[in-house]
Coordinates of all heavy atoms in Angstrom, one line a residue:
T347 N 205.9 6.9 77.1 CA 204.6 6.2 76.8 C 204.5 6.0 75.3 O 204.0 4.9 74.8 CB 203.4 6.9 77.3 OG1 203.3 8.2 76.8 CG2 203.4 6.9 78.9
A348 N 204.9 6.9 74.5 CA 204.8 6.8 73.0 C 205.8 5.8 72.5 O 205.5 5.0 71.6 CB 204.9 8.1 72.3
A349 N 207.0 5.8 73.1 CA 208.0 4.9 72.6 C 207.8 3.5 73.2 O 208.6 2.6 72.9 CB 209.4 5.4 73.0
R350 N 206.9 3.3 74.1 CA 206.6 2.0 74.7 C 207.8 1.4 75.3 O 208.2 0.2 75.0 CB 206.0 1.0 73.6 CG 204.6 1.5 73.1 CD 204.1 0.7 72.0 NE 203.8 -0.7 72.4 CZ 202.7 -1.0 73.0 NH1 201.7 -0.1 73.3 NH2 202.5 -2.3 73.4
V351 N 208.5 2.2 76.2 CA 209.7 1.8 76.8 C 209.5 0.5 77.6 O 210.4 -0.4 77.6 CB 210.3 2.9 77.7 CG1 211.5 2.5 78.5 CG2 210.7 4.1 76.8
V352 N 208.5 0.5 78.4 CA 208.3 -0.7 79.3 C 208.1 -2.0 78.6 O 208.8 -3.0 78.9 CB 207.1 -0.4 80.3 CG1 206.8 -1.7 81.1 CG2 207.5 0.7 81.3
P353 N 207.2 -2.1 77.5 CA 207.2 -3.3 76.8 C 208.5 -3.7 76.1 O 208.8 -4.9 76.1 CB 206.1 -3.0 75.7 CG 205.3 -2.0 76.3 CD 206.2 -1.1 77.1
R354 N 209.3 -2.7 75.7 CA 210.6 -3.1 75.1 C 211.5 -3.6 76.1 O 212.2 -4.6 75.9 CB 211.2 -1.8 74.4 CG 210.4 -1.3 73.2 CD 211.0 0.0 72.7 NE 210.1 0.6 71.7 CZ 210.1 0.3 70.4 NH1 211.0 -0.6 70.0 NH2 209.3 0.9 69.6
L355 N 211.5 -3.0 77.3 CA 212.4 -3.6 78.4 C 211.9 -4.9 78.8 O 212.7 -5.8 79.2 CB 212.3 -2.6 79.6 CG 213.1 -1.3 79.4 CD1 212.8 -0.4 80.6 CD2 214.5 -1.5 79.1
T356 N 210.6 -5.2 78.8 CA 210.0 -6.5 79.2 C 210.5 -7.6 78.2 O 210.9 -8.6 78.7 CB 208.5 -6.4 79.1 OG1 208.0 -5.4 80.0 CG2 207.9 -7.7 79.6
R357 N 210.5 -7.3 76.9 CA 211.0 -8.3 76.0 C 212.5 -8.5 76.2 O 213.0 -9.7 76.1 CB 210.8 -7.8 74.6 CG 209.3 -7.9 74.2 CD 209.1 -7.7 72.7 NE 209.4 -6.3 72.3 CZ 208.5 -5.3 72.3 NH1 207.2 -5.6 72.6 NH2 208.7 -4.1 71.9
L358 N 213.3 -7.5 76.5 CA 214.7 -7.7 76.9 C 214.9 -8.6 78.1 O 215.7 -9.5 78.2 CB 215.4 -6.3 77.1 CG 215.8 -5.6 75.9 CD1 216.3 -4.2 76.3 CD2 216.9 -6.3 75.1
Q359 N 214.1 -8.3 79.1 CA 214.2 -9.0 80.4 C 213.8 -10.5 80.2 O 214.5 -11.4 80.7 CB 213.2 -8.4 81.4 CG 213.4 -9.1 82.8 CD 212.4 -8.4 83.8 OE1 211.3 -8.1 83.5 NE2 212.9 -8.2 85.0
E360 N 212.8 -10.7 79.4 CA 212.4 -12.1 79.1 C 213.5 -12.8 78.3 O 213.8 -14.0 78.5 CB 211.1 -12.2 78.4 CG 209.9 -11.7 79.2 CD 208.7 -11.5 78.4 OE1 208.7 -11.8 77.2 OE2 207.6 -11.1 79.0
G361 N 214.1 -12.1 77.3 CA 215.1 -12.8 76.5 C 216.4 -13.0 77.2 O 217.1 -13.9 76.8
L362 N 216.7 -12.2 78.2 CA 218.0 -12.3 78.9 C 217.9 -13.0 80.2 O 218.9 -13.1 81.0 CB 218.6 -10.9 79.1 CG 219.0 -10.2 77.8 CD1 219.4 -8.7 78.1 CD2 220.1 -10.9 77.0
A363 N 216.7 -13.5 80.6 CA 216.5 -14.0 81.9 C 217.5 -15.2 82.2 O 217.8 -15.4 83.4 CB 215.1 -14.5 82.0
G364 N 218.0 -15.9 81.2 CA 218.9 -17.0 81.5 C 220.3 -16.6 81.3 O 221.2 -17.5 81.4
G365 N 220.6 -15.3 81.0 CA 222.0 -14.9 80.7 C 222.8 -14.7 81.9 O 222.3 -14.5 83.0
S366 N 224.1 -14.6 81.7 CA 225.0 -14.4 82.8 C 225.2 -13.0 83.2 O 225.7 -12.7 84.3 CB 226.4 -15.0 82.5 OG 226.9 -14.3 81.3
A367 N 224.7 -12.1 82.4 CA 224.9 -10.6 82.7 C 223.7 -10.1 83.5 O 223.7 -8.9 83.8 CB 225.0 -9.9 81.4
V368 N 222.8 -10.9 83.9 CA 221.6 -10.4 84.6 C 221.9 -10.4 86.1 O 222.6 -11.2 86.6 CB 220.3 -11.2 84.3 CG1 220.0 -11.1 82.8 CG2 220.5 -12.6 84.7
V369 N 221.2 -9.4 86.8 CA 221.4 -9.3 88.2 C 220.6 -10.5 88.9 O 219.6 -10.9 88.4 CB 220.9 -8.0 88.7 CG1 221.8 -6.9 88.2 CG2 219.4 -7.7 88.3
A370 N 221.1 -10.9 90.0 CA 220.5 -12.0 90.6 C 219.1 -11.7 91.1 O 218.9 -10.6 91.8 CB 221.3 -12.5 91.8
G371 N 218.1 -12.5 90.8 CA 216.7 -12.3 91.2 C 216.0 -11.3 90.4 O 214.8 -11.2 90.5
G372 N 216.7 -10.4 89.6 CA 216.0 -9.4 88.9 C 215.7 -9.8 87.4 O 214.8 -9.3 86.8
G373 N 216.5 -10.7 86.9 CA 216.3 -11.1 85.5 C 216.5 -10.0 84.5 O 215.9 -10.0 83.5
F374 N 217.4 -9.1 84.9 CA 217.6 -7.9 84.0 C 219.0 -7.4 84.1 O 219.6 -7.4 85.2 CB 216.6 -6.8 84.5 CG 216.3 -5.8 83.4 CD1 215.6 -6.3 82.2 CD2 216.6 -4.5 83.5 CE1 215.2 -5.4 81.2 CE2 216.2 -3.6 82.5 CZ 215.6 -4.0 81.4
P375 N 219.6 -7.0 83.0 CA 221.0 -6.5 83.0 C 221.1 -5.3 83.9 O 220.3 -4.4 83.9 CB 221.3 -6.1 81.5 CG 220.3 -6.9 80.8 CD 219.1 -7.0 81.6
A376 N 222.2 -5.3 84.7 CA 222.4 -4.3 85.7 C 222.5 -2.9 85.1 O 222.0 -1.9 85.6 CB 223.6 -4.6 86.6
H377 N 223.2 -2.8 83.9 CA 223.4 -1.5 83.3 C 222.2 -1.0 82.7 O 222.2 0.2 82.3 CB 224.6 -1.6 82.3 CG 224.2 -2.5 81.1 ND1 224.2 -3.9 81.1 CD2 223.8 -2.1 79.8 CE1 223.9 -4.3 79.9 NE2 223.7 -3.3 79.1

Side-chain angles (χ1 to χ4, degrees):
T347 57
R350 298 176 64 83
V351 170
V352 172
R354 294 176 189 275
L355 291 174
T356 303
R357 287 191 289 271
L358 278 173
Q359 186 179 41
E360 293 171 1
L362 296 171
S366 60
V368 297
V369 292
F374 205 63
H377 66 282

